[in-house]
Amino acid sequence: MSDHDENHSHAGTYLAVFIALCVFTALSIIADLLEFSDKNVTRALVLAIASAKALCVMMFFMHLKFERAWKYLLLLPTGILACALPFALFPDVGAHYYTPDVPQVREYALQQAAAGSGEHGHDDGHAKPQPEHH
Amino acid sequence: MSHAPAAPALRMGIPIPNGKLGMWLFLGTEIMFFTAFIGTYIVMRMGSAGWPTDIHVTHINIWAGGINTFVLILSSYFVVVAHDAVLQRNPSKARLFMTASVVLGILFLGIKSFEYYGKIDYDILPGHIAESDRQSMEKLLKTVGNRLDGHLSAIAPKSTKREREDLLAELDTKITDLQAATGDKKTAAELQQAQAVKKFYNEYVNLRDHIRAEVSFAVPFAELDKLRTETDVSKIPTLALGPFPHEGEEYHPPTDTLLGHVKTAILDDKDLAPLMSGFKVERIRPILYGNLFASNYFLMTGFHAIHVIVGLILFVLAIRSPLSLDNAVFVENAGLYWHFVDLVWIFLFPLIYIV
């Protein structure tokens, strides 16, 4: 809190941010309970809500809104470097162009085939939903 | 000769206290640390079609996660209020809110432990989870085998595993001896235990041979040997795992399946049920990518929990200080760290509990 009046209380702002964070949390749970037919809609919604919450915490609770330009100098390189590992792994682990030969992939193909022919892969009744499609 | 007034010393670096700069630099490394975990989790999920999302399988409880989110947000709010109170020269208010934050942090860890207990109870642990029906069968056999060995070592304490195998062969002799002995209470109890273990052993062999031969329990144990000469494989009924129980419903798996047989022959049997006490059939449920899921879950939430503990230590140090204006930077730094911990949870909550 270096760049603004230290004697001035921010209690009101903090309370407003706290209420906003609670509302956002409730919205995430509602988004989950709504069970959209496309799971990607839920994913996009809850991650957007999480980003909004993160922004609230960083700007007000961590005082970044009131800090000078050093915050960019410190946080931008960190942010860019943090993305390096996921981006490096993505082509090989997240979206491999080849078909990896692991037991899980074979098992998944079997489950899909069993589900396709109207049977249950694990004979496991109704509680087991269809595995997701990617 | 007059001296010109000295120019104010040029202030080098970033215009914030050194301690705060240090904390921000540290948080920068923390951002990279957690992004590595969260990022690889997302990438692994994208590359693993069939990732477990059913909460009845993963035992993920959105309400536990939701309440914990609220608990952390509230504690974050209390920390900023405490810091505000320090700047307003109101140490008693600051101390009150810091203490409340500590209580909330402990509550968070309590709810987290409850969740961890649920995972341990269902054996959702890295490296423990069967990922196919076949692995489930082998896991069951291993579990029953370990239980059998445990009961044998109760009969012969301090024995080695090999000695216990010999004991198994001698169990019949022991039972005959005990039956011949004059029946005082102690002998009767010993006899009952020995007979139960013998029965358990026979059941173990029955399970083992059916599982190894992959033959359905519709074929009795005595006829398993005859099948060795059967040339027409289609005439041999294959062993199925069977359905797992659903919450709140009666559980009656077909008796020719593995789970059906285990239920009738062991779990519902008055002699054998005590020997498998505490066993849940869900513990052997096959979960595709279950081990990868469990590794990611415990890695992310475990490191987060460690950060919560460190944050609590910083708070205790702050509470023990006079909380005067001199301590404002320390309180702010502890708060920055705590908000970062909150920030990580803000992303973990949707990624683990909802997506």
Side-chain angles (χ1 to χ4, degrees), chain A residues 1 7 9-10 15 18 25 32 39 43 50 61 63 67 70 78 89 93 104 107 122-124 127 129 132, chain B residues 14 20 28 40 47 53-54 62 73-74 77 84 88 131-133 243-244 246 285 332 339 346 354-355:
Chain A
M1 224 182 268
N7 294 320
S9 173
H10 291 265
L15 185 65
F18 168 66
T25 306
D32 180 51
K39 188 89 180 161
R43 285 185 185 135
F61 284 2
H63 313 134
E67 303 288 6
W70 62 262
T78 313
L89 288 176
V93 180
Q104 286 90 344
E107 183 70 23
H122 277 295
D123 205 11
D124 194 22
E132 299 166 67
Chain B
I14 292 170
K20 187 168 158 183
T40 45
T53 51
D54 184 355
I62 186 178
I73 289 173
L74 186 61
Y77 169 62
D84 204 51
Q88 303 297 316
E131 301 213 14
S132 65
D133 286 11
F244 282 87
H246 301 308
R285 186 199 288 274
E332 186 177 8
H339 299 315
I346 282 174
I354 299 177
V355 164

Side-chain angles (χ1 to χ4, degrees), chain B residues 31-302:
Chain B
I31 291 171
M32 292 188 269
F33 181 80
F34 273 104
T35 316
F37 291 153
I38 296 173
T40 45
Y41 163 68
I42 294 171
V43 169
M44 278 179 192
R45 270 196 70 156
M46 291 173 95
S48 313
W51 189 273
T53 51
D54 184 355
I55 52 165
H56 300 289
V57 172
T58 55
H59 298 281
I60 285 281
N61 187 340
I62 186 178
W63 293 111
I67 291 169
N68 256 352
T69 308
F70 174 73
V71 166
L72 271 195
I73 289 173
L74 186 61
S75 69
S76 258
Y77 169 62
F78 282 175
V79 172
V80 283
V81 172
H83 179 237
D84 204 51
V86 171
L87 294 180
Q88 303 297 316
R89 295 188 175 81
N90 189 347
S92 55
K93 184 183 174 189
R95 192 163 282 114
L96 179 74
F97 276 89
M98 291 294 275
T99 310
S101 294
V102 172
V103 172
L104 288 170
I106 293 169
L107 178 64
F108 176 90
L109 290 175
I111 295 174
K112 197 79 236 160
S113 325
F114 174 72
E115 275 190 76
Y116 275 13
Y117 170 74
K119 298 276 176 307
I120 295 164
D121 200 27
Y122 287 98
D123 213 21
I124 310 276
L125 296 171
H128 281 227
I129 302 166
E131 301 213 14
S132 65
D133 286 11
R134 186 70 212 159
Q135 288 180 355
S136 278
M137 294 179 186
E138 278 155 18
K139 185 176 175 184
L140 174 81
L141 192 64
K142 200 174 168 190
T143 309
V144 175
N146 285 342
R147 287 290 183 109
L148 176 67
D149 192 57
H151 296 306
L152 282 173
S153 53
I155 293 178
K158 293 181 194 163
S159 57
T160 63
K161 202 165 163 61
R162 168 152 297 199
E163 285 164 348
R164 289 197 287 279
E165 277 164 21
D166 293 338
L167 175 75
L168 214 43
E170 292 165 13
L171 211 52
D172 282 327
T173 332
K174 189 178 166 86
I175 290 170
T176 323
D177 290 349
L178 283 169
Q179 277 166 336
T182 46
D184 60 350
K185 256 190 184 170
K186 193 170 166 249
T187 322
E190 254 182 77
L191 176 65
Q192 201 180 13
Q193 192 195 12
Q195 279 172 328
V197 172
K198 179 71 192 172
K199 190 173 171 186
F200 195 49
Y201 171 68
N202 288 339
E203 193 42 57
Y204 169 73
V205 174
N206 184 18
L207 282 173
R208 186 190 64 196
D209 289 7
H210 273 94
I211 288 172
R212 281 188 185 164
E214 293 185 53
V215 175
S216 152
F217 282 92
V219 179
F221 180 68
E223 288 172 29
L224 274 181
D225 268 348
K226 287 186 200 162
L227 295 180
R228 290 181 207 278
T229 51
E230 178 62 62
T231 47
D232 186 358
V233 183
S234 65
K235 280 186 183 166
I236 306 174
T238 50
L239 180 61
L241 185 60
F244 282 87
H246 301 308
E247 232 173 298
E249 282 176 28
E250 278 201 39
Y251 181 47
H252 295 294
T255 49
D256 59 342
T257 61
L258 181 65
L259 292 179
H261 180 80
V262 166
K263 184 169 189 292
T264 48
I266 300 181
L267 302 178
D268 290 350
D269 185 280
K270 67 174 173 41
D271 296 327
L272 300 190
L275 301 186
M276 282 294 277
S277 60
F279 175 75
K280 289 185 171 75
V281 287
E282 288 99 324
R283 286 176 71 93
I284 63 155
R285 186 199 288 274
I287 307 171
L288 201 61
Y289 293 111
N291 293 298
L292 207 52
F293 160 79
S295 297
N296 276 290
Y297 173 83
F298 282 107
L299 196 71
M300 290 191 293
T301 59

Side-chain angles (χ1 to χ4, degrees), chain A residues 33-111:
Chain A
L33 297 178
L34 281 178
E35 290 189 4
F36 295 101
S37 55
D38 188 355
K39 188 89 180 161
N40 285 327
V41 175
T42 318
R43 285 185 185 135
L45 265 177
V46 293
L47 288 177
I49 292 170
S51 303
K53 280 164 80 177
L55 213 60
C56 280
V57 170
M58 287 172 74
M59 277 172 57
F60 297 100
F61 284 2
M62 297 175 96
H63 313 134
L64 281 181
K65 189 177 188 307
F66 317 109
E67 303 288 6
R68 288 199 191 166
W70 62 262
K71 61 190 171 191
Y72 302 111
L73 185 74
L74 207 144
L75 289 174
L76 277 180
T78 313
I80 293 165
L81 288 173
C83 297
L85 185 67
F87 274 107
L89 288 176
F90 181 74
D92 198 38
V93 180
H96 27 65
Y97 61 90
Y98 52 87
T99 312
D101 186 34
V102 294
Q104 286 90 344
V105 170
R106 273 177 259 139
E107 183 70 23
Y108 182 61
L110 280 175
Q111 282 182 16

